[in-house]
Amino acid sequence: MQEQVLSHLTILFYVLGPLIFVVLLFVLALIIYSPWFKEVIGKTFVLFGSQLKLEKENYFQINNVTLSTGSGSTQIDHIIVSVYGVFVVEDMDLRGKISGGVHHQTWTQQINRHSHKFQNPLLHIDDNARIISKMLGLSNHQIHSLVVFTGDSSFTSKMPENVITNLGYIPYINSKTEPVFVELEVQNMIEMIESGMLAESLKT
């Protein structure tokens, strides 16, 4: 009886094995090409890039920050705090040719003959920078906003210096060499940000 069961299971495995393999490949492809996975890749790129290229003693990074705006909440990919300023970073994993202007409501992503419009990321990152400035009581020269495109992308129109591809954001941060805070202020700001962060939930 046991041998007969094993025989049936063996046949079942040979029949369903290839189908299961195809299904698993299909699910894996859906995950890899999903916006969620691309967002994870973008965040991971900036996270590890900062850890490898910026001195840990001078730059403190807080990731995936959700803050209350009074009328709702906003999500900030990365906040890097140092004596040289507070850097608010938005990462975008896009490929293709990117075009847009500082004051345009939408930008365009062009891949071969296909184009896709998306919201000007500067509008979102500037809003987040204002929220952080108000929260910490910062002046304009003490805070910097950056948009980092982490995919295989290039710009077809002139972009401001705070819109950068890949690891180009590291030289931008390192270019700020004039201290605007003392170490105690840096620690106080980190504590204020962390204490103001909302817990991750469907609502936030």
Side-chain angles (χ1 to χ4, degrees):
M1 181 66 179
Q2 187 175 4
E3 292 180 357
Q4 188 178 9
V5 171
L6 289 174
S7 176
H8 281 77
L9 288 176
T10 302
I11 294 172
L12 189 63
F13 174 77
Y14 278 112
V15 172
L16 296 181
L19 178 61
I20 294 173
F21 181 73
V22 170
V23 170
L24 289 176
L25 283 180
F26 178 72
V27 172
L28 182 61
L30 287 178
I31 293 173
I32 291 175
Y33 290 101
S34 68
W36 169 83
F37 187 79
K38 291 181 179 179
E39 183 179 356
V40 170
I41 292 297
K43 291 180 187 297
T44 304
F45 180 90
V46 174
L47 171 62
F48 284 103
S50 301
Q51 290 180 342
L52 291 173
K53 299 293 185 178
L54 295 176
E55 297 177 357
K56 296 180 181 179
E57 300 81 8
N58 297 324
Y59 297 90
F60 304 88
Q61 184 165 330
I62 310 170
N63 304 295
N64 197 25
V65 178
T66 303
L67 299 172
S68 173
T69 62
S71 59
S73 63
T74 188
Q75 190 271 337
I76 303 172
D77 291 333
H78 314 278
I79 301 175
I80 300 173
V81 186
S82 75
V83 294
Y84 307 108
V86 175
F87 301 87
V88 184
V89 183
E90 172 90 2
D91 54 56
M92 302 195 68
D93 187 80
L94 292 176
R95 62 190 181 94
K97 299 183 183 298
I98 308 298
S99 61
V102 174
H103 302 294
H104 295 171
Q105 287 294 318
T106 59
W107 287 6
T108 302
Q109 174 194 30
Q110 185 82 32
I111 302 176
N112 298 323
R113 296 182 179 180
H114 302 283
S115 64
H116 165 71
K117 291 192 178 296
F118 59 97
Q119 183 188 33
N120 179 351
L122 288 173
L123 301 178
H124 179 63
I125 196 67
D126 287 346
D127 283 343
N128 282 340
R130 281 191 288 270
I131 291 169
I132 292 295
S133 292
K134 184 177 180 180
M135 177 183 181
L136 302 179
L138 305 181
S139 302
N140 288 339
H141 73 285
Q142 295 175 317
I143 189 164
H144 311 278
S145 57
L146 295 90
V147 177
V148 182
F149 284 82
T150 58
D152 183 17
S153 58
S154 61
F155 303 130
T156 59
S157 55
K158 183 174 176 58
M159 295 291 178
E161 64 173 356
N162 64 329
V163 179
I164 302 166
T165 58
N166 299 313
L167 290 176
Y169 75 97
I170 299 295
Y172 177 89
I173 293 176
N174 283 331
S175 70
K176 311 301 179 183
T177 57
E178 185 70 29
V180 293
F181 302 115
V182 298
E183 292 185 5
L184 181 59
E185 290 176 310
V186 170
Q187 292 303 318
N188 288 339
M189 287 188 293
I190 293 171
E191 292 175 5
M192 288 179 66
I193 294 169
E194 291 180 337
S195 64
M197 289 172 59
L198 301 178
E200 291 187 32
S201 67
L202 289 176
K203 183 178 179 180
T204 59

